């Protein structure tokens, strides 16, 4: 079946850029997503990209998609302490298929 | 604030009991999906309802069942609770069965003891 994989942990200094990576297996993916989850909360839709796009920018967020390598990344510019959370990559196949999440820790 | 509300927020049940979780979808959305998120893991798809019909099911046993009402709100029922059912249960609503933009509620934390 389809699978989505992410690195589990990322630590960055406040003000630096963060890059969270994700790989997926489904070659027929149409949309790929990034969700954010803060402690004790539900999932917040951050952004998504259609599979015929290479890049999407939304304020501090940049999503890059390499369809050939089935690799998706989320870059957060000027990372702040409020960005500390778990970030989930998800692939849409009628239902969402999530990775295990990347915990982003932002330190001063 | 997504407009998707779930109740209750927390629940403690005993093994073998039954539980009903509720979800009100965002205005204008006719599709509701349910996910189970165990501690330290990503959400796993349980099932989806589109216009009151089940429209996809994940790898969960039949004791997980659901319902969608004419106002598109939804219930998740779990019978014969097991300890491993302890998790955060998330509801997502979207417009149309393809789930292109799914918005999640805050979840119900279920603890089975």
């Amino acid at each position: 079946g389809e699978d989505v994989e992410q690195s589990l942990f990322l630590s960055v200094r406040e003000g630096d850029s963060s890059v969270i990576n994700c790989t997926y297996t489904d070659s027929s993916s149409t949309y790929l997503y990034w969700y954010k989850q803060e402690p004790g909360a539900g999932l917040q839709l951050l952004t998504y990209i259609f599979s015929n796009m290479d890049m999407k920018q939304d304020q501090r967020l940049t999503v890059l998609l390499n369809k050939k390598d089935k690799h998706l990344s989320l870059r957060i510019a000027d990372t702040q302490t409020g960005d500390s959370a778990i970030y989930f990559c998800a692939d849409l196949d009628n239902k969402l298929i999530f990775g295990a999440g990347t915990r982003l820790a932002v330190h001063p | 604030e997504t407009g998707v509300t779930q109740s209750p927020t927390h629940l403690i049940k005993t093994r073998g009991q039954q539980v009903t979780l509720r979800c009100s979808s965002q205005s204008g959305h006719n599709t509701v999906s349910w996910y189970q998120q165990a501690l330290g893991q990503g959400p796993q798809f349980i099932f989806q309802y589109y216009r009151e019909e089940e429209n996809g099911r994940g790898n969960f046993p039949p004791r997980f069942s659901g319902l969608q009402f004419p106002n598109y709100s939804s219930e998740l029922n779990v019978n014969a609770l097991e300890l491993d059912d302890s998790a955060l249960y998330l509801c997502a609503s979207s417009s149309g069965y393809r789930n292109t933009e799914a918005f999640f509620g805050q979840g119900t934390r279920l603890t089975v003891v």
Side-chain angles (χ1 to χ4, degrees):
Chain A
E2 301 90 351
D3 194 23
V4 175
E5 301 219 345
Q6 304 177 236
S7 51
L8 293 182
F9 188 74
L10 177 66
S11 178
V12 300
R13 191 184 305 274
E14 192 175 10
D16 286 352
S17 291
S18 308
V19 180
I20 302 171
N21 295 300
C22 168
T23 57
Y24 60 97
T25 59
D26 185 5
S27 56
S28 60
S29 295
T30 50
Y31 292 91
L32 293 137
Y33 297 79
W34 285 103
Y35 281 86
K36 176 184 179 182
Q37 187 175 39
E38 297 184 70
L43 299 178
Q44 175 192 351
L45 176 61
L46 286 178
T47 187
Y48 61 95
I49 188 167
F50 187 49
S51 60
N52 69 352
M53 298 169 66
D54 297 325
M55 185 181 87
K56 180 179 179 181
Q57 189 151 0
D58 184 0
Q59 299 182 337
R60 292 191 297 124
L61 305 179
T62 303
V63 178
L64 294 178
L65 175 60
N66 181 327
K67 209 173 172 190
K68 174 176 166 287
D69 294 338
K70 296 185 188 142
H71 182 267
L72 182 75
S73 68
L74 173 70
R75 178 177 178 270
I76 305 172
D78 186 26
T79 312
Q80 303 297 309
T81 54
D83 295 323
S84 294
I86 301 176
Y87 291 80
F88 290 95
C89 166
D91 176 17
L92 180 64
D93 178 25
N94 285 330
K95 74 271 189 187
L96 291 166
I97 299 163
F98 288 89
T102 299
R103 183 177 296 276
L104 174 64
V106 183
H107 56 88
Chain B
E1 196 68 32
T2 63
V4 180
T5 58
Q6 293 186 241
S7 62
T9 53
H10 295 84
L11 200 50
I12 299 175
K13 288 286 192 178
T14 303
R15 192 170 48 181
Q17 285 188 312
Q18 178 266 343
V19 70
T20 298
L21 309 181
R22 294 179 175 82
C23 172
S24 293
S25 56
Q26 187 166 307
S27 177
H29 285 182
N30 53 16
T31 301
V32 171
S33 305
W34 286 91
Y35 292 80
Q36 181 196 65
Q37 186 180 19
L39 203 59
Q41 297 182 25
Q44 299 289 317
F45 175 72
I46 303 174
F47 44 57
Q48 175 177 299
Y49 281 84
Y50 171 63
R51 293 185 176 179
E52 302 178 61
E53 297 282 329
E54 188 179 288
N55 179 41
R57 187 178 182 94
N59 190 24
F60 280 81
R63 59 190 185 83
F64 285 78
S65 63
L67 204 55
Q68 187 178 31
F69 299 99
N71 66 355
Y72 303 129
S73 65
S74 176
E75 285 182 355
L76 164 65
N77 298 291
V78 187
N79 293 323
L81 284 166
E82 300 177 1
L83 297 179
D84 283 350
D85 295 333
S86 295
L88 181 68
Y89 288 85
L90 295 162
C91 162
S93 80
S94 59
S95 178
Y97 69 92
R98 287 190 60 80
N99 266 312
T100 308
E101 279 192 33
F103 295 96
F104 284 79
Q106 82 284 6
T108 294
R109 171 74 61 190
L110 172 64
T111 303
V112 183
V113 296

